Amino acid sequence: MAFTLITAKNRHANLVINDHSIRFVELLRSHPLTIHKWREHDLPPGIISGGKIADYETLSNILEECIEDWKIHKRDLRFLVPDSLVIIRKISVPKDIQDDEMQGYLYLEMGSSIHLPFEDPVFDYFPLKTTEKTKEILLFAAPEKNVLEYANLFATLKLNPVAADISPLSLYRLYDYLGDTSEKEILFTVQFDITSVTIAIFEGTVPYVMRQFPLPFESNKWEIRRGETANEYVYNGNENEMLLQIEDIQKEMNKLMDFYKYSLNNGKKEITLILLNGDHPMLPFIFRELKENSTVPVEILTLKGNARIKTASIPPGHFLALGLALKEVK
């Protein structure tokens, strides 16, 4: 197999920003997949809250420092829209709406026949199936104000935003690249981070359901051990409080699996695999708990032992940024 080099001119910066960190991944080559570098900068509480920028000036200053240190000035940029901002909804539209008319139709129907919990959305859609009278589509939407706030911030700092994505798709993209997917699989992905948990249900390559659950984050109970390329997060609070948080999330997961099986599919479809990833320091414990308490097989996402990826030492906290970097890789 020939080496496919990614030159400095076409290397994309891939950024994932959440309430507690900024993470970055850059590829060196796509075949074999080789990661050039990955970096992380922690964010103090209050700069981003629930995915929304709360302190624009401080975030801008930190990002400017990151861009300088990571040498990504003037790069094309891919970024993730924060999970808390994203809505996924299955809707039906008239069958006679043509593909080239769909975007305009959806735009006109926002706020009338299509109701979202925010005004002025940015959106995309994925076609599902056509019946005798309707077309079913999956609508992805987020509030334009918040998405543009990120995009404009990046542009002000001399980055060029060229693509926005959502975290379940980035996670699935990496899972698919590793060659573990099955056409008949109904995948339940769990991104378990220290400030939130995002759950999605995939039928094939399509995320039909997505939910995010915030986790309480008290900075005085966490120690951040800063490394050259990634940070380590250590919880020093009451362990029972953390165990209760994990137990609550497991209950929400079970509710969502039952909702998918019984409410959405009348008992005819059910989850075939739970896929776990995240930056939470108790992820190995969470994995064991899920395996012991679930009738569904559970896997933790790993790069080790996979021949398709040359650099396997990148930490799981950066897997979303790596999945984002795979967006154009075939």
Side-chain angles (χ1 to χ4, degrees), residues 143-163:
E144 182 180 48
K145 173 186 174 182
N146 300 110
V147 176
L148 286 182
E149 192 171 25
Y150 280 99
N152 291 336
L153 173 59
F154 298 140
T156 300
L157 295 173
K158 308 302 181 185
L159 293 172
N160 179 33
V162 294

Side-chain angles (χ1 to χ4, degrees), residues 50-268:
K52 297 179 181 179
I53 300 174
D55 188 339
Y56 188 95
E57 184 176 353
T58 303
L59 180 60
S60 178
N61 291 336
I62 292 174
L63 265 174
E64 188 171 26
E65 178 185 333
C66 292
I67 290 167
E68 181 69 25
D69 291 347
W70 301 342
K71 302 186 186 330
I72 56 174
H73 190 66
K74 295 184 178 179
R75 290 285 181 86
D76 286 345
L77 173 71
R78 304 186 189 104
F79 70 99
L80 290 187
V81 177
D83 295 333
S84 57
L85 305 178
V86 178
I87 294 287
I88 298 178
R89 185 167 296 171
K90 184 165 72 172
I91 63 173
S92 296
V93 302
K95 184 181 178 180
D96 58 358
I97 302 297
Q98 301 301 310
D99 291 346
D100 59 355
E101 300 172 338
M102 187 66 71
Q103 201 80 12
Y105 173 84
L106 294 173
Y107 180 80
L108 291 173
E109 292 300 311
M110 294 291 175
S112 54
S113 66
I114 302 173
H115 298 283
L116 297 173
F118 43 77
E119 296 180 352
D120 300 322
V122 289
F123 61 89
D124 201 355
Y125 71 95
F126 182 85
L128 296 174
K129 66 180 182 180
T130 301
T131 66
E132 290 184 2
K133 296 182 179 179
T134 64
K135 289 181 178 179
E136 286 189 356
I137 66 169
L138 206 61
L139 181 70
F140 302 83
E144 182 180 48
K145 173 186 174 182
N146 300 110
V147 176
L148 286 182
E149 192 171 25
Y150 280 99
N152 291 336
L153 173 59
F154 298 140
T156 300
L157 295 173
K158 308 302 181 185
L159 293 172
N160 179 33
V162 294
D165 207 348
I166 61 174
S167 74
L169 285 176
S170 286
L171 188 63
Y172 184 88
R173 191 179 296 114
L174 177 58
Y175 175 66
D176 182 57
Y177 186 87
L178 297 174
D180 295 328
T181 53
S182 165
E183 288 184 7
K184 296 181 179 179
E185 192 169 69
I186 299 178
L187 186 68
F188 190 94
T189 63
V190 183
Q191 178 69 26
F192 211 120
D193 294 329
I194 65 173
T195 53
S196 67
V197 180
T198 298
I199 299 169
I201 299 176
F202 283 80
E203 291 184 16
T205 62
V206 183
Y208 276 75
V209 179
M210 175 180 171
R211 298 283 188 275
Q212 194 211 44
F213 303 95
L215 294 177
F217 180 77
E218 299 175 69
S219 58
N220 62 320
K221 295 181 180 180
W222 288 87
E223 175 190 350
I224 301 174
R225 298 173 183 171
R226 296 177 177 87
E228 183 180 350
T229 60
N231 296 335
E232 181 184 359
Y233 296 85
V234 181
Y235 183 68
N236 293 322
N238 186 310
E239 186 173 307
N240 287 331
E241 291 181 7
M242 181 61 69
L243 294 177
L244 285 174
Q245 289 180 24
I246 294 171
E247 185 179 324
D248 287 343
I249 292 298
Q250 286 182 298
K251 290 177 181 176
E252 294 296 340
M253 289 172 58
N254 290 333
K255 286 180 188 176
L256 193 56
M257 283 191 275
D258 287 343
F259 171 76
Y260 175 80
K261 180 178 179 179
Y262 297 109
S263 298
L264 294 184
N265 293 290
N266 298 317
K268 296 178 181 178

